[in-house]
Amino acid sequence: MEVNELLTVLIGGGGVGAIIAAVMTRQTAKDKNKIDLLDRTYKEIERLEAKLKEAEEELDKEQDANEELRKVVADLKEKVSILRIELKTLKGE
């Protein structure tokens, strides 16, 4: 008796079917795990993209506010400079 025949006799037809079913079930479980992992990854990407968009909007607002502040500071410096010149003129320097 060859090894194949011996295995067939020992395992039987139902055993071979059970082994094939077990292998297929294991493969299906692996595929399901991969799909679940991909799904979670896509959801995390969407969540992070939303956070990124939120952060970019906040940054834009702050940059606009900083630009306004820079303009105010520059205007005040100019006015101080003009007042110093006027003061020197009034002092007669």
Side-chain angles (χ1 to χ4, degrees):
M1 213 184 254
E2 291 185 24
V3 176
N4 291 342
E5 293 172 347
L6 182 60
L7 285 175
T8 304
V9 170
L10 290 175
I11 296 174
V16 172
I19 291 172
I20 291 172
V23 169
M24 296 299 288
T25 301
R26 183 165 185 245
Q27 185 62 40
T28 302
K30 281 183 176 180
D31 290 345
K32 185 181 181 318
N33 287 340
K34 287 179 186 178
I35 291 170
D36 289 345
L37 180 61
L38 287 173
D39 188 45
R40 287 195 312 261
T41 303
Y42 283 125
K43 286 179 182 177
E44 183 66 10
I45 288 170
E46 289 173 356
R47 187 185 72 79
L48 291 174
E49 284 177 338
K51 285 276 196 188
L52 178 61
K53 184 178 178 182
E54 209 174 277
E56 286 174 338
E57 288 172 357
E58 185 67 28
L59 178 62
D60 288 343
K61 286 179 187 176
E62 288 185 19
Q63 285 178 341
D64 290 344
N66 285 343
E67 187 61 33
E68 265 185 58
L69 187 59
R70 283 189 187 100
K71 288 177 184 178
V72 169
V73 168
D75 187 45
L76 288 173
K77 284 182 179 179
E78 184 181 337
K79 287 180 181 178
V80 168
S81 179
I82 291 170
L83 288 174
R84 285 188 181 166
I85 292 170
E86 287 179 5
L87 181 62
K88 285 183 181 181
T89 302
L90 289 173
K91 283 183 168 181
E93 294 179 4

